[in-house]
Each structure stands twice: as structure tokens, then as C-alpha cells.
Amino acid sequence: MKLFEKIVNPREIRRKLGLNQQEFWTKIGVTQSGGSRYESGRNMPKPVRELLRLVHVEQLDLTKVRKEDFDIIDYLRETHPDLYKSLKKAVKARENQQPVAAEENN
């Protein structure tokens, strides 16, 4: 999903995650009543759409993210592009293996 791409149906995303409106919307700083309006078709501001994407689509825990993390990523990308690409590839491979590993434990 591209930055600020229109979230077509936030209600569908919320339901797929099994969350009620209060749980879903407060994670991104929106009141339940405000979220209800967005789910009914009211236009979401770009920052709200982006927070929804990061938290509920990308599953990013914003409480764990710090500016320093982004500074490190930018530095690594600029000064060691090969290492950055290698690490990015390793993370993707690990993400693809996690569901398989979980099934093996059951």
C-alpha cells in the first residue's frame, strides 16, 4: 500500500482483526465516534489514514518506534546500501518463515 493511499473500507479491516470500534480506533488516537463516522464513509484525513495503515495493516507497534530507529535506518541505507539490502532480505525471509515455524510447534 502506498503512502496515504485511500483506505477503502476501515470497517472491513477492523472486522478482519476482530476488534470493536473502541479497540481499533483508540490505537491510532481516534475516538470511537470519530471512527464510526469514518466507517460510515466520511473522508479520513491523510494522517489518520497513514496511522491506520501503519498500525492495523502493517501491524507496527508505535509504542516501540523511536526517531533514533529511523535515523539508524537512514544512515545504514546511505552508507552501507549492500548491508541494508542484505538485512532487508533477511527480515523478509524471517517473516515468511514465522507462520511455518509456529505450525511446526503445534
Side-chain angles (χ1 to χ4, degrees):
M1 184 176 291
K2 292 181 181 177
L3 186 67
F4 299 131
E5 183 176 315
K6 183 169 175 73
I7 301 292
V8 177
N9 192 343
R11 179 181 289 134
E12 184 178 318
I13 295 168
R14 178 179 61 77
R15 287 181 176 166
K16 283 182 180 179
L17 293 171
L19 300 173
N20 65 39
Q21 286 183 337
Q22 183 73 30
E23 295 164 331
F24 184 83
W25 291 104
T26 54
K27 282 188 175 187
I28 61 171
V30 173
T31 63
Q32 178 276 324
S33 60
S36 178
R37 287 191 292 272
Y38 297 141
E39 289 185 19
S40 297
R42 183 175 180 189
N43 285 335
M44 274 187 280
K46 289 179 182 180
V48 174
R49 282 198 313 265
E50 187 60 9
L51 283 169
L52 191 152
R53 183 188 70 81
L54 289 170
V55 172
H56 294 301
V57 176
E58 299 292 335
Q59 298 292 302
L60 184 65
D61 182 353
L62 294 178
T63 64
K64 295 181 180 179
V65 178
R66 303 286 179 253
K67 183 186 179 313
E68 178 185 35
D69 298 328
F70 291 101
D71 294 341
I72 292 168
I73 292 167
D74 287 341
Y75 177 80
L76 182 62
R77 188 182 300 146
E78 291 170 9
T79 60
H80 302 285
D82 292 338
L83 178 57
Y84 173 79
K85 288 177 186 175
S86 175
L87 290 171
K88 186 176 175 181
K89 194 175 192 179
V91 168
K92 284 187 179 190
R94 182 181 73 179
E95 288 173 353
N96 291 334
Q97 291 176 356
Q98 283 180 344
V100 174
E103 289 173 5
E104 290 174 359
N105 293 334
N106 291 331

